[in-house]
Amino acid sequence: MDLYFSPLAWSMATRIALYEAGAEAGYIYANTRTKRLPDGADFFAISPLGMVPVLRTDEGELLTENAAILQYVADRFPKAELVPADGIGRARLQQWLCFIGTELHKAVFIPLLDSKAPAEAKAYAAEKAPARLGYLDKYLTGREFLLDAFSVADAYLYTVLNWSRVTALDLTQWPALKAYLSKLHQRPSIAKAVGEEGALYAEQQARNKAA
Ligand SMILES: N[C@@H](CCC(=O)N[C@@H](CS)C(=O)NCC(=O)O)C(=O)O
């Protein structure tokens, strides 16, 4: 399978899941600014909105949307136990994937990070952030993971919250959240993904500056 990714973007959650599973996969750098692939091909031919992540399965199916891709990877490599096996556990996993995708990723982080977002959108997102992060902080107090064990929801939450470093959000006011992130940062799959994608991100930034 192949993962179309952009360095440190939300697609990194799937890279983490693939590393957790010890899966063989290809990683194709999709430039989300130019909408081009490394061979010059049009990324829109793969991703209708020109967004990452996209996963091409071994059967050639193209999958979009983090929540779907992460669950697909977890189900494809069950030995890694990246999703709960029972019904309520799976529903709780989906609860967190939806929360991260809608309440955090799109409602808070995209407006804060998008240089094209108007000041009003940024202010609205900043106003929404404390309730959502405070809720997570309370929930994570005394917990290592979102569920009973590491799951793809943790891979997604880590990836989204990792961007708080370049926003005005100060996580020190949410100590459990900060501790959760620091601990996950040590996890081998995450440290490897962040190391590799961080280097690619720095190269990308340098190229954008030179252009
Ligand atoms: N709903 C999508 C959103 C994915 C998304 O926002 N991707 C961003 C990167 S983190 C992107 O590719 N942005 C490029 C663009 O909007 O043109 C998902 O959950 O997978």
Side-chain angles (χ1 to χ4, degrees):
M1 64 179 62
D2 290 318
L3 174 67
Y4 293 84
F5 78 99
S6 173
L8 299 182
W10 321 127
S11 43
M12 192 174 76
T14 300
R15 182 187 290 267
I16 294 168
L18 290 165
Y19 287 172
E20 285 282 334
E24 288 281 326
Y27 296 89
I28 301 172
Y29 184 162
N31 188 321
T32 51
R33 275 181 68 185
T34 62
K35 308 296 181 194
R36 293 278 152 200
L37 295 171
D39 62 0
D42 184 3
F43 183 44
F44 283 119
I46 301 291
S47 173
L49 294 179
M51 292 200 290
V52 291
V54 179
L55 188 79
R56 186 192 294 277
T57 69
D58 290 340
E59 295 73 31
E61 296 273 342
L62 289 173
L63 267 183
T64 60
E65 297 300 324
N66 255 307
I69 293 173
L70 289 169
Q71 291 184 80
Y72 177 83
V73 168
D75 290 339
R76 173 79 177 66
F77 302 101
K79 283 194 188 136
E81 297 184 354
L82 295 171
V83 287
D86 60 310
I88 184 66
R90 188 66 178 241
R92 286 264 174 245
L93 174 93
Q94 288 170 344
Q95 173 191 313
W96 285 116
L97 291 175
C98 291
F99 171 81
I100 299 162
T102 59
E103 301 300 331
L104 287 183
H105 175 174
K106 284 292 171 182
V108 173
F109 280 84
I110 292 282
L112 292 182
L113 293 167
D114 188 346
S115 58
K116 291 190 193 133
E120 290 81 1
K122 288 186 185 294
Y124 182 78
E127 189 193 309
K128 294 276 171 201
R132 282 149 184 76
L133 297 176
Y135 160 55
L136 266 179
D137 186 64
K138 200 167 167 208
Y139 177 79
L140 285 168
T141 301
R143 301 188 68 100
E144 195 176 348
F145 304 116
L146 285 169
L147 302 172
D148 291 343
F150 180 85
S151 71
V152 290
D154 295 299
Y156 191 12
L157 183 56
Y158 175 89
T159 301
V160 172
L161 292 179
N162 188 37
W163 281 97
S164 58
R165 290 186 287 168
V166 293
T167 67
L169 292 172
D170 176 11
L171 293 192
T172 51
Q173 55 190 304
W174 299 294
L177 203 48
K178 215 165 168 351
Y180 165 83
L181 281 180
S182 306
K183 189 115 195 259
L184 282 184
H185 193 68
Q186 315 296 323
R187 200 172 169 89
S189 62
I190 292 184
K192 180 167 149 62
V194 172
E196 292 170 352
E197 293 209 4
L200 290 172
Y201 183 78
E203 281 170 25
Q204 176 188 277
Q205 294 294 92
R207 271 198 308 275
N208 289 347
K209 218 168 164 189

